[in-house]
Amino acid sequence: MSEPGDIPPRTAFEARQREHLAWYAVAEADSGGRAHAENEHPYRTCFQRDRDRVIHCSAFRRLDFKTQVFVPHEHDHFRTRMTHTLEVAQIARTLARALRLNEDLAETVALAHDLGHPPFGHAGETVLDELMADHGRFEHNRQSLRVVDYLEHPYPHFRGLNLSRVVRECLAKHRTRYDTPICDDFDTTLQAPLEGQLVDLADEIAYTSADLDDALSAEWVTREQLAQFELWRQAWAQAERESPDARPIHKQIRSCKGVLAAMADDAIATTAARCRSLVRQAGSAPGSDAVRQAGRPLAGFSEPMTQAVEHLQQFLLRNVYTDPKAASREENARRIIRDLFAAYLNDPALLPERYRRRVDGDGLHRVICDYIAGMTDRYCTKEWERVP
């Protein structure tokens, strides 16, 4: 019997984990290893170490002042790219636990999935892609992989965080309504592991419910407008049943959480049913490789929920993402990035010395792109005000 304070060895944890994980889960033995060999840690698994490396890297800290949808410094309660990431990680762990998947892998992918996002939200991504059209393009999933593989360099003997291959694959194959994976280093005929697929769902669940909450708080949309959506009506009705005497603002908050819960419940049920169907087709539990070879994602929503989320997303697209109130801010963001890019092209001496050292190997356009993509909204604006 272990004494209080004793730390179980990693091998003991992994043995207990194998007894718990479902057949479609990724165990540490299936991590694919690291590009640079390292000794195993005495009590942390490879995915726990990957998670910790992501949390402690500088790119993760900079998410704290990058825009998600609403400009963060205009309201203390709006989501930033950091708080969005934390919400995705929480949802991903919940989904993974319910489905007996590897929670540490799902959490790691969730925490890293937006490391490559530039300042100013999707407006920043769009303008960087335009500026890089003739120089390899820009896409934030590919940039997230570039961050963990190359741009972060806390170790003396190699660049990057040296994450497990399966974590890197999940990042490369991250897919949502607004993201299309680019997988130069991985087999595009194979699906991502189920943990990675669940992070895609957790991302959609998080931003749909959170953008709804922030839009209501900003008074860009109203509860009356949302009454046209069955998903909202059901969540509001449940809030009224549970707390009939609550103030409307509390019912509103509870309804946003109800939308999140409904999406999560449906995702768990649908994903579990698809996995059971795969077992029936195979005649027995076929192993985690069957998830990759399934020909389509196994993680997903039911058809009714897919339609409900699509309708709500289209509403948010019209009333939030492309609202005229946001358009002027996005145009300003595009102007800042274009001006900065042009200034660095015209005078590379404006770049920090550590970036100038990479120009011969990476090319000036890519170095400038890396530098701007890593900036926070605040720093990008200050640089724009500083450069000639």
Side-chain angles (χ1 to χ4, degrees):
M1 180 180 295
S2 61
E3 296 295 326
D6 286 352
I7 300 176
R10 171 185 50 79
T11 52
F13 174 85
E14 291 177 355
R16 291 196 304 273
Q17 184 190 57
R18 283 193 295 272
E19 295 176 359
H20 166 74
L21 292 179
W23 63 264
Y24 41 72
V26 175
E28 272 67 14
D30 304 319
S31 71
R34 304 183 188 278
H36 305 279
E38 298 182 37
N39 293 328
E40 296 286 1
H41 192 273
Y43 57 84
R44 289 186 300 158
T45 69
C46 61
F47 296 140
Q48 290 168 352
R49 295 175 76 187
D50 288 345
R51 174 200 61 203
D52 299 346
R53 292 177 184 195
V54 169
I55 289 175
H56 288 280
C57 78
S58 60
F60 184 80
R61 294 192 294 276
R62 290 196 299 272
L63 295 176
D64 194 35
F65 217 83
K66 290 191 177 188
T67 291
Q68 173 65 14
V69 173
F70 292 89
V71 180
H73 63 263
E74 292 186 357
H75 194 299
D76 288 345
H77 296 160
F78 287 154
R79 270 77 173 181
T80 65
R81 189 66 61 177
M82 169 75 82
T83 58
H84 163 72
T85 294
L86 295 176
E87 289 177 358
V88 175
Q90 176 268 312
I91 296 167
R93 284 200 76 108
T94 298
L95 299 180
R97 184 172 301 170
L99 290 163
R100 292 170 51 213
L101 287 164
N102 194 315
E103 293 180 48
D104 293 326
L105 172 56
E107 182 182 30
T108 301
V109 176
L111 291 170
H113 85 282
D114 267 356
L115 291 179
H117 249 299
F120 307 120
H122 288 284
E125 180 171 14
T126 300
V127 70
L128 276 181
D129 188 44
E130 293 170 358
L131 292 165
M132 293 295 292
D134 297 325
H135 303 276
R137 308 297 298 265
F138 176 85
E139 195 271 335
H140 87 264
N141 293 321
R142 176 182 282 179
Q143 190 70 10
S144 292
L145 199 60
R146 185 169 173 80
V147 167
V148 301
D149 282 352
Y150 180 67
L151 296 178
E152 288 288 326
H153 47 94
Y155 304 109
H157 302 302
F158 52 80
R159 295 190 69 97
L161 300 180
N162 201 29
L163 301 183
S164 302
R165 180 172 175 80
V166 73
V167 171
R168 298 176 55 250
E169 180 182 7
C170 290
L171 293 176
K173 293 183 176 180
H174 176 59
R175 179 191 297 274
T176 69
R177 191 181 307 271
Y178 301 104
D179 300 317
T180 301
I182 300 175
C183 310
D184 294 342
D185 297 338
F186 300 94
D187 187 344
T188 57
T189 66
L190 299 177
Q191 299 295 316
L194 199 54
E195 286 84 352
Q197 295 180 33
L198 271 189
V199 171
D200 298 349
L201 275 185
D203 190 17
E204 188 161 10
I205 292 169
Y207 70 66
T208 300
S209 56
D211 293 351
L212 192 62
D213 188 18
D214 283 351
L216 284 163
S217 297
E219 298 182 346
W220 284 25
V221 302
T222 66
R223 294 191 295 269
E224 289 72 24
Q225 287 176 293
L226 294 175
Q228 63 183 293
F229 301 105
E230 179 65 20
L231 192 56
W232 175 264
R233 289 199 301 271
Q234 290 179 359
W236 182 267
Q238 182 177 356
E240 288 196 313
R241 286 195 305 272
E242 294 176 350
S243 305
D245 299 325
R247 294 168 54 199
I249 185 61
H250 292 135
K251 293 179 182 177
Q252 174 179 301
I253 294 170
R254 182 65 190 88
S255 296
C256 291
K257 296 182 183 300
V259 169
L260 187 159
M263 295 173 71
D265 291 348
D266 185 270
I268 291 168
T270 302
T271 302
R274 290 177 180 176
C275 289
R276 288 194 298 269
S277 176
L278 203 62
V279 170
R280 287 195 298 271
Q281 294 172 16
S284 61
S288 60
D289 283 347
V291 173
R292 297 170 180 263
Q293 298 165 1
R296 63 161 186 158
L298 294 183
F301 298 121
S302 66
E303 187 56 35
M305 181 59 71
T306 298
Q307 293 181 8
V309 174
E310 173 68 28
H311 293 157
L312 191 54
Q313 278 288 316
Q314 287 300 317
F315 172 80
L316 290 171
L317 181 65
R318 293 191 304 272
N319 293 276
V320 178
Y321 308 143
T322 59
D323 185 273
K325 293 186 288 295
S328 61
R329 294 171 182 163
E330 291 186 354
E331 184 52 42
N332 185 58
R334 286 190 284 268
R335 182 174 68 255
I336 288 173
I337 291 179
R338 287 193 188 101
D339 288 352
L340 265 184
F341 207 105
Y344 295 141
L345 275 177
N346 183 61
D347 185 5
L350 294 170
L351 293 165
E353 194 271 337
R354 68 184 185 279
Y355 280 87
R356 295 199 302 272
R357 287 199 303 265
R358 291 179 27 225
V359 169
D360 288 344
D362 294 346
L364 181 58
H365 281 78
R366 181 56 61 186
V367 169
I368 293 171
C369 182
D370 287 339
Y371 184 42
I372 293 177
M375 293 179 180
T376 63
D377 297 22
R378 176 174 54 189
Y379 183 76
C380 191
T381 302
K382 287 183 178 180
E383 274 292 281
W384 177 69
E385 292 170 348
R386 181 187 70 84
V387 299

